[in-house]
Amino acid sequence: MVAALSPQLALAYLGELSTDIRAAAVLDHAGECVAGEAGLAREARELLSGGEPLAEASSRRGRVFAARGQAHSVAVLTGRFALPALVRHDLGKVLEDLAPPAA
């Protein structure tokens, strides 16, 4: 059985997956920032408020991607040249690793 990543390790892992990530945040099930940039967590809550599991938008700082998993949500800020499909894939992988192990 593989242990789930802590929110702090998840952010470090994201940083290793992509050099395009400028900032990142992990939110708990209630939408509270548990690791990373609190301002980005605010943007993630707004993006995911429509109920979609994945959302993205442009901001003055770059492109924001947010994804919701079973137990956490993750948001990243990228530069404008980041490949959206790759960012979405990386978010999905981290969300899988953050999810509590199956009983």
Side-chain angles (χ1 to χ4, degrees):
M1 179 166 89
V2 176
L5 289 177
S6 71
Q8 292 79 11
L9 283 176
L11 293 182
Y13 182 44
L14 271 172
E16 293 293 323
L17 289 174
S18 175
T19 58
D20 292 316
I21 294 174
R22 296 179 178 171
V26 176
L27 292 71
D28 65 12
H29 187 66
E32 296 300 317
C33 184
V34 293
E37 188 179 306
L40 188 56
R42 239 182 339 272
E43 291 181 68
R45 283 190 296 272
E46 290 174 18
L47 281 173
L48 296 172
S49 67
E52 294 295 323
L54 177 66
E56 58 187 271
S58 292
S59 81
R60 60 179 173 76
R61 300 189 303 161
R63 192 103 183 124
V64 178
F65 296 82
R68 179 183 296 114
Q70 294 176 344
H72 296 87
S73 296
V74 178
V76 295
L77 172 69
T78 69
R80 63 184 181 148
F81 297 115
L83 299 172
L86 187 55
V87 174
R88 289 189 295 267
H89 175 271
D90 292 348
L91 289 176
K93 178 63 179 147
V94 168
L95 282 170
E96 285 176 16
D97 293 343
L98 275 166

